[in-house]
Amino acid sequence: MKKILIAGPFGPKEEAAFSQLSSEVECQFVNSSEINDSMLKSANALIGNVSPALLVDQPHLEWVQLTSSGADGYVNEKGIPENILFTTSTGSYGLGIAEYMVAMLLSMMKKIPAYLEDQKKGIWADEGIVTSPFGKRVLIIGTGDLGLEFAKRMRALGCTLVGIRRREGTCPAELDEIYTMDHLKEQLAMADVVAVCLPGTKETFHLFDEEMLLSCKEGSYFMNVGRGNIVPLDAFCNEKVSEHFAGIWLDVCEIEPLPDKHPLYYVPNMLITPHITGGYHLDLTVEKIFQIALHNMKAWLGEGDYIHVLDRNSGYCK
């Protein structure tokens, strides 16, 4: 009998659905923090995320279904057997993160943080001129599920939507223009809003260093919901860089948790959230993860094809 470890954000209903797929498979439901080397050595498959180092030298593992969309840690870890098939939960998080992106952009444009601070101080004050997304040029760097979900929502606000991706191809219906990474700097110089939705790969590591950030249009808004190491940790601690932007929002940082009292917390036009947009807070996100995992478990059992298969060379799904 085959054995699968299942460590995801699943409740009794989902656990029952997994268990009923086959009488030839033993499903063991655990917390990811409980999984150790001994448990993995007795398993043939895993649904959930564990430390990549735990997957080194696991001769019996055939398939790993990640409950994350990002997989950079697994791509970079040396010693993980080549025969292990990885699938991701790409497509599960776009809606939830995109809604946060719209909320945080409007918050910056409408000076909501300033009014919250005034309320805390018990003062009634007019914080002055605000701006609107209407008519703005929004540059979305990374046009996968997340980037396009954001584009759909910004379309309703009257923006010009521009995408950046790795390869040339037809412009998606959600966008007005599409360019490759070769055109990044020239597009940054024209964009009123820069939304970074990239995965963590060798090519994206520290992509937005101080020089690249200063290539952005002065007075623009910058948001990163991709990977923290796309922006060097201290880049925005440089006043010249931070003051270049009307507003900055980071949901991801190069070091997480961001240390207490780190200078980033005190950058005047900075909003920081603790990597929560891609979590399990939204029930629709959990449902999508479940449906992907269930589909791929059926494929592992010989029914149909896998979806969201990870290309371990590029770090992207095939």
Side-chain angles (χ1 to χ4, degrees):
M1 178 177 283
K2 288 191 172 185
K3 180 178 179 181
I4 181 169
L5 298 175
I6 301 178
F10 309 121
K13 179 182 175 182
E14 291 81 14
E15 291 180 0
F18 287 123
S19 298
Q20 291 165 8
L21 278 185
S22 174
S23 60
E24 302 298 318
V25 176
E26 176 191 350
C27 295
Q28 183 178 352
F29 298 97
V30 294
N31 292 321
S32 58
S33 59
E34 298 173 351
I35 297 177
N36 56 38
D37 182 72
S38 176
M39 294 170 69
L40 286 167
K41 279 198 164 37
S42 67
N44 305 105
L46 166 68
I47 296 175
N49 288 40
V50 297
S51 168
L54 278 175
L55 299 180
V56 174
D57 191 28
Q58 297 295 348
H60 302 300
L61 269 182
E62 303 164 6
W63 163 58
V64 174
Q65 170 67 55
L66 301 176
T67 52
S68 63
S69 57
D72 41 309
Y74 303 91
V75 172
N76 297 329
E77 185 70 35
K78 295 179 180 179
I80 296 179
E82 291 296 322
N83 63 292
I84 297 178
L85 176 75
F86 282 87
T87 52
T88 77
S89 292
T90 295
S92 300
Y93 296 92
L95 185 150
I97 298 177
E99 289 181 342
Y100 268 108
M101 294 171 75
V102 174
M104 298 303 281
L105 178 60
L106 288 173
S107 179
M108 291 187 288
M109 287 184 164
K110 303 303 180 184
K111 298 185 177 178
I112 302 301
Y115 287 106
L116 292 174
E117 285 302 312
D118 290 342
Q119 180 182 344
K120 290 178 184 177
K121 296 172 184 175
I123 61 175
W124 184 279
D126 187 328
E127 293 293 342
I129 299 296
V130 298
T131 191
S132 168
F134 182 81
K136 297 296 190 293
R137 186 176 180 88
V138 177
L139 183 65
I140 302 171
I141 306 168
T143 57
D145 171 67
L146 169 53
L148 295 184
E149 287 289 343
F150 178 56
K152 290 176 188 176
R153 284 148 184 81
M154 295 306 292
R155 172 73 70 199
L157 297 177
C159 305
T160 297
L161 297 159
V162 184
I164 294 280
R165 65 182 175 197
R166 290 182 302 153
R167 298 172 182 167
E168 292 184 358
T170 305
C171 184
E174 294 87 348
L175 302 174
D176 298 301
E177 303 171 28
I178 190 74
Y179 300 93
T180 60
M181 292 293 286
D182 295 338
H183 299 274
L184 178 58
K185 277 195 174 182
E186 65 189 57
Q187 291 303 315
L188 287 172
M190 296 188 286
D192 300 296
V193 176
V194 177
V196 181
C197 306
L198 293 166
T201 68
K202 290 180 289 186
E203 290 74 25
T204 64
F205 180 78
H206 284 190
L207 174 64
F208 277 90
D209 56 14
E210 291 185 8
E211 179 185 354
M212 188 69 80
L213 289 169
L214 290 172
S215 298
C216 295
K217 181 179 179 179
E218 189 170 359
S220 60
Y221 294 85
F222 183 92
M223 304 188 292
N224 184 16
V225 293
R227 279 290 177 266
N229 62 17
I230 293 170
V231 181
L233 182 65
D234 296 326
F236 284 115
C237 295
N238 181 334
E239 286 187 16
K240 181 180 179 181
V241 175
S242 63
E243 291 176 357
H244 188 77
F245 296 90
I248 305 157
W249 170 47
L250 304 178
D251 185 54
V252 288
C253 295
E254 186 168 20
I255 294 177
E256 294 181 355
L258 187 64
D260 291 348
K261 310 299 183 182
H262 190 278
L264 270 182
Y265 286 118
Y266 308 105
V267 174
N269 56 345
M270 170 80 73
L271 294 178
I272 296 175
T273 47
H275 203 154
I276 42 80
T277 64
Y280 304 142
H281 301 84
L282 185 64
D283 56 355
L284 292 174
T285 298
V286 175
E287 176 62 22
K288 288 184 178 184
I289 294 170
F290 165 65
Q291 292 296 340
I292 291 169
L294 190 69
H295 177 101
N296 283 335
M297 185 171 170
K298 291 177 181 177
W300 177 59
L301 294 170
E303 181 184 336
D305 298 322
Y306 292 99
I307 56 174
H308 307 314
V309 176
L310 177 67
D311 180 343
R312 289 169 64 180
N313 292 316
S314 69
Y316 290 82
C317 284
K318 296 179 182 177

